Structure formats: structure tokens, C-alpha cells
Amino acid sequence: MKTLSKLSRRLAPWALGLGLGLGLALVYLGGEALSAAEDDVAVYQVDVSQSMTGEDLDAFLDFVRSNPGKDILLEPSDPLPVTPGPERRQQDEARAAEEAKRHDAKIAEGLASGLYTQDGPAPDCASLSEAANGEPAIFRLCENGVRPVPTALPTAPVESTRAAEERLTAYLQAVLTSPDATEAQLGLASSFSDASALDSVTLAEGGEVTVDFNFGISSQIGGLHPGLATHYMLEQLYRTLFQFRDVRKVTLTLDGSCRAFGDLFEGPCQELDRDLWELMTELNDEQVAYFTLKGGQ
């Protein structure tokens, strides 16, 4: 009997899980399993309100041995207690309020000890970008996003393709230049720091813009994570160019090669059509202001 008792103790965790699982299953099924022939079934009642002890397990094994060849069905000895919905909701709300109280106390303690610091006021760049909605703008980093910033560059439409290329070049050079002290004070930042990385900007008759960089662009990423920095870099360029409806496609190249530009940042050749650009902004539910670059269009 000692050997059986030791075996019973070893099987206790397994039997406990099995017993509770079968018991709950029986409750869920509403006792439908009892429809089996009485001669083939033995019903064993389990007190599910408390954990099964070693003695409980020994008693269960004795019951199994005394009913050889029968299916053993477990049922709770007493109905499972169920808290009414309104009462359960009140308990949940009280528990949530207590947890929130403890959380607030922990934050207050951390602030008092210097472990935590409170966020400062929102940077002024957010309100500044709102002032750029009525005119073409350059794009800077602000509050972990890319926002338009008013510029002193000319905004009136031009008449020739050459003048349009010069206008786009001026805007991109402004984007590629580091924010000045005033912009930095307002919370503006940039993925770029040197406009000399730009070699040329060409505008084909169909509206395709090719922006060619030299290898100076490779040092423009700065301290951000490369993937995130590349995303912000491209957003600053694409948003500055696609704000002009005349631009139908943008291709970014390195010494004349789109593939070389992609390889520089471990990505594909960077070509983007306006239709895809506008679809992406629409899916992101963004409000984008568009302008005319060349007069008469």
C-alpha cells in the first residue's frame, strides 16, 4: 500500500489537472455524457471548490479500482459558485481603481525621487507647420514625424521647365541644409546636414523628376536607427517634391544610378509614382496641400 501511496503522490499534479478538466467539461456539457448505459458508467463526485489532496487522490484511485472496466465520469459535488454580472463588474471596477491608485502613487514617488521626469511642453514646430498649409513648404522632422515648414523661397508658379528645375533645386537644397538655431529652438530637426550632397535635379516633359546625389549623401543619416532614418530621409524628399502637382514621378540616383542609391541604404532602387504616393497618403488619412509648379497647368 505504501508503494501505491507513493505512486499516488507522484500522479497527484496530473490527476488534479485531469480531474478538474473533466469536471468542468461535464458541467459545460450539462451532464449529457450520463446518457451512456448505467452499467458502463461510474460517477465520482469531486469537490472543485478546493485543491485535491493526496488523500483525495487515493480515494479516487480506490474508486477506479473498485469499478473495473467502467468509464469514470466526474461531476462537482456542489454547484460551481457564479458571481452575478453586476456584482462581478463592480468587483472589476474596484480592482481597476485600486490598481490605478497604486500606479499613480508609484509615479508620484518616482517623480519626487528623480527616477522619472515629466515631459515638457509640446515643441512649437507643430503649430509652426500649420502655418505652411497655404503655400509650398520644405519638410523637417517634428515630433517623430515629417511636417511642412514655411519657407522664404519663391512660391509663385514659373513658366519654363528650366525655371521649374531651378525652383525644385532650391527647395531640395533648403531641405538638405541643417535647421538653423531658430528652427532647432522650435523643435525642428532633419535627416540631412549638407546641401552639397545634391548634384542635380532634372524635370522631364512628362513630369518625371530625377534627383542625383553624390557620395556625400552617405553621411547624412546621423544618429538615428538606419531603417527609421532612411524612412524620414525619403519622406522629407518625397513630400517636398510631390507637393507640386507637376511632379508625376520621382527617381533618386547616386552618380546617375538608381540601383547604386538603393544599395547605399541597403534597399531597392528608389522610384515612386504620384498615383502610389497619393494612394499612400489617402490610406494614412493624411491631409496634404498641393500646388502648381509651372504656370498654365
Side-chain angles (χ1 to χ4, degrees):
M1 191 64 181
K2 280 187 177 181
T3 303
L4 179 58
S5 180
K6 289 181 180 179
L7 176 60
S8 299
R9 285 194 295 272
R10 291 176 183 175
L11 292 176
W14 172 83
L16 175 60
L18 176 63
L20 291 178
L22 290 175
L24 293 175
L26 181 61
V27 171
Y28 176 75
L29 293 173
E32 292 184 4
L34 293 176
S35 61
E38 292 184 2
D39 292 341
D40 298 330
V41 173
V43 178
Y44 187 82
Q45 291 188 333
V46 179
D47 183 0
V48 296
S49 65
Q50 59 186 6
S51 301
M52 182 178 285
T53 66
E55 293 180 357
D56 294 332
L57 181 58
D58 288 339
F60 172 70
L61 293 176
D62 288 341
F63 181 82
V64 172
R65 286 193 297 269
S66 65
N67 291 276
K70 291 188 177 183
D71 294 329
I72 307 300
L73 294 181
L74 304 179
E75 70 175 10
S77 57
D78 294 307
L80 292 175
V82 178
T83 305
E87 182 180 346
R88 187 168 61 252
R89 183 167 55 252
Q90 289 177 354
Q91 292 174 351
D92 291 341
E93 291 174 352
R95 184 168 54 252
E98 183 61 28
E99 290 176 353
K101 183 178 179 181
R102 290 198 299 269
H103 175 268
D104 292 343
K106 188 69 175 179
I107 293 298
E109 179 183 347
L111 289 171
S113 65
L115 179 61
Y116 307 139
T117 58
Q118 288 181 312
D119 293 334
D124 294 332
C125 60
S127 57
L128 177 65
S129 67
E130 296 176 0
N133 289 335
E135 297 287 349
I138 62 172
F139 286 79
R140 299 287 199 195
L141 304 183
C142 170
E143 292 187 310
N144 296 321
V146 179
R147 293 176 178 265
V149 176
T151 175
L153 294 172
T155 58
V158 296
E159 297 297 331
S160 67
T161 298
R162 177 58 182 168
E165 290 176 341
E166 292 176 351
R167 178 67 55 82
L168 292 177
T169 300
Y171 272 75
L172 288 178
Q173 285 176 335
V175 171
L176 293 170
T177 302
S178 294
D180 58 28
T182 301
E183 291 178 324
Q185 254 186 344
L186 294 173
L188 292 168
S190 179
S191 302
F192 305 99
S193 60
D194 189 356
S196 66
L198 178 65
D199 273 356
S200 66
V201 178
T202 58
L203 174 63
E205 287 298 326
E208 179 174 348
V209 172
T210 301
V211 181
D212 190 45
F213 295 94
N214 56 56
F215 277 94
I217 194 67
S218 63
S219 63
Q220 301 291 302
I221 289 184
L224 294 174
H225 182 280
L228 182 61
T230 302
H231 168 74
Y232 284 151
M233 178 195 71
L234 295 175
E235 282 289 286
Q236 285 187 257
L237 297 175
Y238 286 141
R239 288 178 181 271
T240 298
L241 294 170
F242 279 123
Q243 69 179 323
F244 298 108
R245 294 190 179 277
D246 315 66
V247 177
R248 307 302 306 174
K249 180 180 180 181
V250 174
T251 302
L252 306 179
T253 63
L254 176 65
D255 284 348
S257 170
C258 184
R259 173 57 61 187
F261 184 90
D263 291 343
L264 184 62
F265 300 98
E266 299 181 359
C269 176
Q270 289 298 323
E271 295 181 311
L272 185 60
D273 292 323
R274 167 169 289 279
D275 290 343
L276 180 56
W277 160 258
E278 292 187 350
L279 176 61
M280 289 190 298
T281 57
E282 181 179 347
L283 292 176
N284 291 330
D285 197 25
E286 297 182 52
Q287 300 297 320
V288 181
Y290 293 115
F291 309 95
T292 299
L293 180 61
K294 294 173 65 176
Q297 296 190 12

